[in-house]
Amino acid sequence: MSGRVLVGVKRVIDYAVKIRVKPDNSGVVTDGVKHSMNPFCEIAVEEAVKMKEKKLIKEVVAVSCGPQQAQETIRTALAMGADRGIHVEVSGKDFDLLGPLQVSKIMAALAKKEDAQLIILGKQAIDGDCNQTGQMTAALLDWPQGTFASEVSLEGDKVKVVREIDGGLETIRINTPAVLTADLRLNTPRYATLPNIMKAKKKKIEKVKPADLGLDMTSRLEVLRVDEPPQRLAGVKVETVADLVAKLRETGRL
Amino acid sequence: QSTLVVAEHNNEKLTPITLNAITAASKLGGDVTCLVAGTNCAQVVEQISKVQGVKKVLVAQHDSYKGSLPEELTPLILETQKQFNFTHICAGASAFGKNLLPRVAAKLDVAPISDITEIKSPDTFVRTIYAGNALSTVKCNESVKIFTVRGTSFEAAETEGGSATCEEVAASSPAGVSEWLEQSLSKSDRPDLTSAKVVVSGGRGLKSGENFKLLYDLAEKMNAAVGASRAAVDAGYVPNDMQVGQTGKIVAPELYIAVGISGAIQHLAGMKDSKTIVAINKDPEAPIFQVADYGLVADLFKAVPEMTKALDQ
């Protein structure tokens, strides 16, 4: 395989930020909150860049869907080593309704347009926690999928994927073109160095709109409300192991 | 109104989370049908036909279903859907369900709903977002509702007393684009993490993989499963399948004992629905104490062996 890899990168609230639900229960507070690239997307970018460094592929194209700020996330991917970017402009109400199904349609359309041989995505984004986009992109393209990957090796025109499953690991071999989704242990993403951040500023980001790709972004999901999860009441401190065991026995937990 | 539950199994045994998915399906009202697709799954069919709430079991057997590859199972589910027109299709939110159902959904041009924790009505579901830091109530206006079910949020259906009818369905023709090679499952005599009544988990405070033996000894006294925080997994102390947390397993046992775990949000998301939480940590400021019913500020290397001993008495 010696082709082009598309990598999806999503801008999300930074993993270290404490999430606050809006008082009107319409969503979570995003204004004035630090955003970063979804950690699983960083792993996806790293994997693609490593493939390019090993000369297994020719080009890494980073794609992000969203308003203007999505370009910051693309720049991060470019600084990590992606060759160019595609910013799919989605804003306003369309952005509010943008879900994994719509993003999958965008990724599938771009994969065809760019003649990609591989799409690498994070297994899930840490905002919606849906874990769907890779699987759905593969479905729309009728490509096989190697999800929750912890090890990926290209073998001619096939890919061997070690997957994280509930009881351990599983190994599959899939044809290309294919979609892969990155799990945590696939690699450790690099930090973008200052020279590479400077270089990334010169790399090209193409802008497209879903309509240019002939896509309808209708969503049939409605978020009715977003709530704070029920808080657990802090319990009591016990002084000794004997106290602890006694308390657990009293309450019938032991 | 009718629901298809895609059964997860290994051709010998039904995976427990399927029972939780069956309960969720029963809550929707209407008939519950289960699809068992495998290479040689008569035993599983027998088990699932006795599960309470299941009306019908559809059985598809073919060599191509080895390893439950989504490329092979999706065409089968699509054919089944064409024939029976279910209003809902669901499965457990396990690696199996998460891998498969979005693929089915995209083929039907339907937005699926992942990992639901509550059913408000046949078209309205609750799920967690932001690693459990917010709950989202979602109304689904799709003609077919497709979702995966968080096992810890729904009771397991009774495995006796049901009497479902069985029906063979024709196997789909093999897609042949993927191949299942092997599985390496961690072997353990301890109970399974997601179904154990007691879970003992260790974090970075354990300092090494060898020290997890302290937890195994304690777990043995309580017939408990042993889990770990992401920090302990990342440090290489234990394998990833022991990870409890948003990116690992979600557990909700009757008793959860967190040992040397600080309590990152990520970890809390995976265990805060446990009925009773115990935290043992030498740092009194550790966030884990904010969710613990019983907190013990102590050196785990002393407290854990002491507790193991105390349980003998």
Side-chain angles (χ1 to χ4, degrees):
Chain A
M1 209 185 65
S2 60
R4 181 171 294 136
V5 179
L6 290 192
V7 186
V9 292
K10 185 175 187 183
R11 180 177 180 267
V12 298
I13 295 181
D14 187 83
Y15 74 98
V17 169
K18 184 160 168 40
I19 298 300
R20 283 183 301 132
V21 171
K22 286 184 188 165
D24 68 356
N25 295 98
S26 63
V28 306
V29 178
T30 53
D31 287 348
V33 167
K34 185 184 177 199
H35 282 65
S36 308
M37 187 190 294
N38 174 41
F40 289 99
C41 300
E42 290 182 340
I43 300 172
V45 173
E46 176 67 32
E47 197 64 17
V49 170
K50 277 203 319 204
M51 285 178 186
K52 168 142 189 205
E53 286 169 347
K54 288 186 203 151
K55 305 206 182 330
L56 298 169
I57 56 158
K58 278 199 202 121
E59 191 183 34
V60 179
V61 183
V63 180
S64 192
C65 310
Q68 186 62 25
Q69 294 96 315
Q71 291 203 8
E72 295 162 18
T73 310
I74 296 174
R75 287 283 169 214
T76 306
L78 297 177
M80 287 174 73
D83 298 292
R84 62 186 169 92
I86 300 176
H87 172 207
V88 183
E89 294 181 279
V90 184
S91 55
K93 192 154 169 48
D94 282 347
F95 182 59
D96 294 339
L97 295 173
L98 187 73
L101 180 61
Q102 289 74 34
V103 174
S104 307
K105 288 177 181 176
I106 292 170
M107 291 306 296
L110 287 176
K112 283 186 197 153
K113 185 171 169 241
E114 295 285 339
D115 190 25
Q117 274 77 59
L118 210 53
I119 299 178
I120 311 181
L121 305 174
K123 78 161 178 180
Q124 73 187 60
I126 61 164
D127 48 4
D129 288 332
C130 287
N131 192 334
Q132 299 171 343
T133 305
Q135 296 86 313
M136 291 203 285
T137 304
L140 295 173
L141 289 162
D142 265 319
W143 292 2
Q145 65 193 49
T147 56
F148 326 149
S150 67
E151 210 181 306
V152 168
S153 25
L154 301 182
E155 298 182 338
D157 56 356
K158 293 184 192 255
V159 194
K160 195 161 110 180
V161 184
V162 178
R163 306 181 56 233
E164 305 263 357
I165 56 169
D166 296 325
L169 297 171
E170 159 181 293
T171 310
I172 58 170
R173 188 187 290 128
I174 57 180
N175 291 1
T176 53
V179 177
L180 305 176
T181 75
D183 214 318
L184 284 173
R185 289 197 300 172
L186 184 57
N187 58 51
T188 307
R190 68 193 68 191
Y191 289 103
T193 59
L194 190 60
N196 285 340
I197 292 170
M198 299 313 287
K199 253 193 253 169
K201 290 187 175 162
K202 295 194 186 106
K203 292 182 181 173
K204 207 179 139 225
I205 298 179
E206 179 193 351
K207 284 196 212 177
V208 295
K209 292 199 165 69
D212 303 336
L213 300 166
L215 297 174
D216 170 20
M217 293 283 98
T218 309
S219 166
R220 290 174 295 269
L221 291 186
E222 265 176 79
V223 174
L224 300 183
R225 56 181 295 131
V226 173
D227 292 277
E228 298 264 359
Q231 295 299 314
R232 268 190 99 96
L233 296 175
V236 295
K237 287 260 167 71
V238 291
E239 294 301 319
T240 64
V241 169
D243 280 353
L244 174 61
V245 171
K247 284 265 183 352
L248 290 174
R249 282 190 171 138
E250 257 169 52
T251 50
R253 292 291 179 223
L254 279 180
Chain B
Q1 182 114 336
S2 59
T3 303
L4 178 70
V5 179
V6 184
E8 177 180 359
H9 63 89
N10 63 2
N11 286 302
E12 283 166 19
K13 270 172 72 183
L14 191 64
T15 308
I17 197 167
T18 304
L19 298 170
N20 308 98
I22 290 171
T23 299
S26 304
K27 286 201 172 171
L28 292 164
D31 290 343
V32 175
T33 300
C34 289
L35 173 66
V36 180
T39 50
N40 189 357
C41 45
Q43 277 174 279
V44 177
V45 172
E46 200 186 317
Q47 287 166 43
I48 205 165
S49 60
K50 289 187 197 145
V51 174
Q52 272 186 30
V54 179
K55 180 101 184 282
K56 196 194 303 184
V57 181
L58 302 174
V59 188
Q61 300 199 84
H62 195 280
D63 286 345
S64 63
Y65 300 144
K66 182 181 166 193
S68 299
L69 293 162
E71 295 81 6
E72 301 296 345
L73 293 182
T74 300
L76 172 68
I77 296 170
L78 295 175
E79 279 302 313
T80 311
Q81 173 61 11
K82 219 186 238 173
Q83 192 182 342
F84 294 93
N85 262 312
F86 297 104
T87 55
H88 296 73
I89 302 175
C90 72
S94 56
F96 165 84
K98 289 174 180 172
N99 193 31
L100 176 61
L101 284 204
R103 188 170 179 107
V104 172
K107 280 288 181 196
L108 294 167
D109 193 22
V110 160
I113 302 178
S114 293
D115 215 354
I116 63 155
T117 58
E118 195 186 333
I119 295 171
K120 292 271 190 198
S121 75
D123 64 5
T124 304
F125 307 90
V126 181
R127 58 183 302 271
T128 68
I129 54 176
Y130 291 96
N133 286 297
L135 302 177
S136 176
T137 305
V138 186
K139 181 162 184 275
C140 176
N141 299 316
E142 303 283 1
S143 54
V144 189
K145 279 86 175 157
I146 300 183
F147 59 94
T148 55
V149 176
R150 180 169 294 186
T152 54
S153 299
F154 296 86
E155 296 286 321
E158 291 289 335
T159 52
E160 294 295 333
S163 57
T165 56
C166 292
E167 188 178 325
E168 292 274 340
V169 292
S172 43
S173 37
V177 292
S178 53
E179 187 188 351
W180 183 88
L181 299 178
E182 60 170 353
Q183 218 173 48
S184 62
L185 300 181
S186 311
K187 288 199 182 66
S188 157
D189 298 332
R190 283 180 294 275
D192 177 58
L193 199 48
T194 49
S195 53
K197 290 208 164 28
V198 182
V199 173
V200 181
S201 279
R204 206 194 290 275
L206 266 293
K207 293 201 171 86
S208 76
E210 291 76 57
N211 290 337
F212 263 74
K213 180 161 191 309
L214 295 173
L215 303 191
Y216 300 142
D217 291 345
L218 176 61
E220 201 168 304
K221 298 276 188 242
M222 296 185 290
N223 192 32
V226 177
S229 69
R230 182 174 156 190
V233 172
D234 284 351
Y237 301 167
V238 289
N240 188 52
D241 51 79
M242 285 173 66
Q243 187 185 322
V244 171
Q246 181 63 19
T247 54
K249 293 195 174 70
I250 311 276
V251 302
E254 285 176 16
L255 176 59
Y256 188 89
I257 305 179
V259 180
I261 291 177
S262 64
I265 291 172
Q266 205 286 127
H267 185 73
L268 301 185
M271 48 64 84
K272 68 183 176 188
D273 290 332
S274 305
K275 300 223 168 53
T276 299
I277 297 174
V278 170
I280 301 175
N281 201 306
K282 67 176 180 200
D283 173 13
E285 304 299 321
I288 190 78
F289 287 120
Q290 289 164 21
V291 300
D293 299 284
Y294 302 110
L296 176 64
V297 180
D299 176 2
L300 72 92
F301 294 102
K302 282 188 196 134
V304 173
E306 205 180 321
M307 187 165 175
T308 307
K309 221 172 180 183
L311 292 179
D312 275 335
Q313 289 154 12

